[in-house]
């Protein structure tokens, strides 16, 4: 079964990772969460990325948020970067999105661990009809909730 590796720059990023893990669990996608900092433990980042057999990597980080870009530099597998909100916000957002040509990171919004997981599932669903069906059902659930919300106001 496909696997997603979730890397966090710090344990303090766990609430963002939890949002992603919940989505991956719902879709039955194996995943592993690890802490490895691009600045504090660069060798550990390299070791984890090169040894991992995950098909997609989600990298979560705040402040100067080098982690997603560094992870992308170490692999040709898709990397989804999640900037973590803080006192400034644009710092992490720009660090994740402004990658140089040739080393892309697919960025989602601030703290959007859930969207990172949905995007990972969408990538993995290519050629996996069962996963595609689950994604379509997830959309239908959201649609039903909006309609129910509308009827309750
Ligand atoms: C980043 O710095 C981490 O990803 C985290 O979002 C932020 C703060 O880290 P801690 O000081 O909480 O370890 O590297």
């Amino acid at each position: 079964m496909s696997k997603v590796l979730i890397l966090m720059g710090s344990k303090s990023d766990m609430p963002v990772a939890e949002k992603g893990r919940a989505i991956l669990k719902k879709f039955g996608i194996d995943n592993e969460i690890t802490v490895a900092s691009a600045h504090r433990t660069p060798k550990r980042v390299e070791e984890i990325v090169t040894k991992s057999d995950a098909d997609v990597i989600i990298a979560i980080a705040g402040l100067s948020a080098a982690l997603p870009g560094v992870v992308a530099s170490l692999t040709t597998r898709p990397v989804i970067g999640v900037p973590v909100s803080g006192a400034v916000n644009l710092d992490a957002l720009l660090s994740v999105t402004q990658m140089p040509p040739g080393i892309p990171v697919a960025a989602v919004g601030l703290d959007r661990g859930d969207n990172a997981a949905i995007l990972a599932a969408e990538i993995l669903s290519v050629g996996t009809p069962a996963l595609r069906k689950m994604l379509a059902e997830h959309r239908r659930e959201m649609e039903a909730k909006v309609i129910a919300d509308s009827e309750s106001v």
Side-chain angles (χ1 to χ4, degrees), residues 11-78:
K11 193 181 173 188
S12 65
D13 300 322
M14 197 62 199
V16 179
E18 289 287 11
K19 293 188 221 172
R21 181 153 71 177
I23 293 281
L24 295 173
K25 189 176 173 203
K26 177 176 179 178
F27 294 145
I29 297 170
D30 287 346
N31 61 89
E32 190 186 338
I33 301 186
T34 310
V35 178
S37 163
H39 298 117
R40 297 162 175 157
T41 63
K43 289 192 178 114
R44 176 175 163 77
V45 172
E46 181 167 10
E47 196 178 306
I48 289 170
V49 172
T50 51
K51 283 191 180 155
S52 167
D53 62 352
D55 298 304
V56 179
I57 301 174
I58 294 173
I60 301 169
L63 299 177
S64 75
L67 186 63
V70 169
V71 170
S73 78
L74 295 167
T75 181
T76 55
R77 288 166 286 174

Side-chain angles (χ1 to χ4, degrees), residues 104-123:
V105 165
V108 293
L110 286 166
D111 302 331
R112 287 266 71 91
D114 41 10
N115 271 358
I118 290 170
L119 183 54
E122 288 177 354
I123 292 167

Side-chain angles (χ1 to χ4, degrees), residues 87-144:
V88 180
N89 287 335
L90 268 184
D91 48 5
L93 200 58
L94 293 177
S95 296
V96 174
T97 55
Q98 291 288 55
M99 287 297 293
I103 311 291
V105 165
V108 293
L110 286 166
D111 302 331
R112 287 266 71 91
D114 41 10
N115 271 358
I118 290 170
L119 183 54
E122 288 177 354
I123 292 167
L124 294 170
S125 78
V126 176
T128 310
L131 195 45
R132 200 170 288 185
K133 258 179 141 178
M134 281 190 264
L135 282 159
E137 177 56 28
H138 186 68
R139 293 268 173 113
R140 279 195 292 274
E141 286 167 17
M142 286 189 292
E143 185 184 11

